[in-house]
Amino acid sequence: MLKLRALLFAAGFYPVTMIYAIPCLLLGPLLPFRARFRFLTAINYFYIGWLRVTCGVKTQVEGLNHLPKDQPYVALANHQSEWETLYFQLVFRPQSVVLKRELLKIPLFGWALALLNPIALDRSQRREALKQLLRQGSERLEQGIPVLIFPQGTRVAVGKPGRFNKGGAMLAVKQGVPIVPVVHNAGHCWPGKSFVKYPGTVTLVIGEPIQTVGRSVDEVHQEVEAWMLDQMLRIGA
């Protein structure tokens, strides 16, 4: 039954994506960034609704009011599921997400993703990737665009914290913007790289902004990591 429900989700997901990609690729480049972001990610409302209808995956959000409304910020989130790709674009609007460069090579999906001005890194070149993150991340923040980073670097299974890198803290301290820590447990319902989805409720927790002005990278990083690990334990992430 689970495979059948996942197949039904895919039967709606892929055709709709291919159809919607056409106007996105044609009209997207003509729009200013914020309007382009709203237009290209409007389909995500369908994805999340279709996921709920076909696979029984719901979402509960805590702390949505913590998102700064009058300044850019760096959002740091745990990395666990493909669900993040769909839902986070509905929470952090607009955003510039840090991702691996290979994703931009995927036909249609990757081409449309490139129009959202992500920070696409070559993770095999660590030193250059960090320089690029700090340079392009600073540019996005100066334009008033929040930057979304997954400090674990790669998807980590439920119950395994992984290793948190300091790139996000370095960027936030450099620009003097707050960090918004985010955790979720979507891996229970949609494990990374899994075709099958399991019914249930994903809990998404958005923490209060952590200020960075006048603080060291290590101090900020330790506070963010401690909060994320504590919340991940609380919600079973």
Side-chain angles (χ1 to χ4, degrees):
M1 180 59 74
L2 290 176
K3 289 185 178 180
L4 180 60
R5 298 181 74 173
L7 185 61
L8 185 59
F9 173 76
F13 179 90
Y14 290 106
V16 170
T17 298
M18 289 187 288
I19 293 171
Y20 195 70
I22 296 172
C24 287
L25 293 172
L26 292 175
L27 300 178
L30 306 177
L31 299 173
F33 176 72
R34 292 177 186 275
R36 186 193 317 156
F37 187 92
R38 290 193 298 269
F39 179 51
L40 267 65
T41 60
I43 193 175
N44 291 33
Y45 291 102
F46 163 76
Y47 291 149
I48 295 302
W50 190 236
L51 182 64
R52 179 170 182 163
V53 169
T54 58
C55 300
V57 178
K58 306 174 184 178
T59 305
Q60 172 183 302
V61 182
E62 302 176 12
L64 190 60
N65 60 304
H66 291 155
L67 291 178
K69 295 180 175 61
D70 56 354
Q71 68 177 131
Y73 55 89
V74 174
L76 297 183
N78 64 313
H79 204 11
Q80 203 172 80
S81 168
E82 280 85 348
W83 172 90
E84 302 152 7
T85 306
L86 309 181
Y87 201 84
F88 280 7
Q89 289 182 340
L90 302 179
V91 177
F92 310 106
R93 299 176 66 80
Q95 63 167 262
S96 178
V97 64
V98 176
L99 46 74
K100 57 184 179 181
R101 185 177 297 172
E102 296 91 322
L103 291 176
L104 303 186
K105 299 178 182 179
I106 301 174
L108 297 179
F109 171 81
W111 304 340
L113 185 59
L115 293 175
L116 297 178
N117 290 355
I119 300 173
L121 305 180
D122 180 355
R123 295 191 299 186
S124 66
Q125 304 292 329
R126 286 191 173 184
R127 181 168 297 185
E128 290 304 315
L130 178 58
K131 290 180 180 179
Q132 181 185 348
L133 169 62
L134 296 178
R135 183 181 68 256
Q136 294 186 357
S138 295
E139 292 172 356
R140 304 296 194 274
L141 292 169
E142 289 169 2
Q143 294 166 1
I145 302 171
V147 175
L148 171 62
I149 300 174
F150 299 98
Q152 292 164 310
T154 188
R155 289 191 177 93
V156 179
V158 172
K160 297 182 179 180
R163 178 180 177 274
F164 293 75
N165 65 59
K166 297 181 180 180
M170 293 175 69
L171 174 61
V173 169
K174 177 177 181 289
Q175 291 300 114
V177 300
I179 288 177
V180 176
V182 182
V183 299
H184 66 87
N185 58 4
H188 287 289
C189 296
W190 190 343
K193 298 182 180 180
S194 172
F195 178 75
V196 174
K197 287 82 174 168
Y198 301 88
T201 300
V202 175
T203 298
L204 172 65
V205 184
I206 301 171
E208 295 185 16
I210 294 174
Q211 301 303 319
T212 63
V213 176
R215 305 179 67 188
S216 70
V217 171
D218 285 342
E219 181 184 2
V220 171
H221 176 75
Q222 289 170 9
E223 181 176 351
V224 172
E225 183 177 29
W227 184 92
M228 293 181 69
L229 291 174
D230 181 65
Q231 294 298 313
M232 287 169 65
L233 183 62
R234 180 177 73 84
I235 66 174

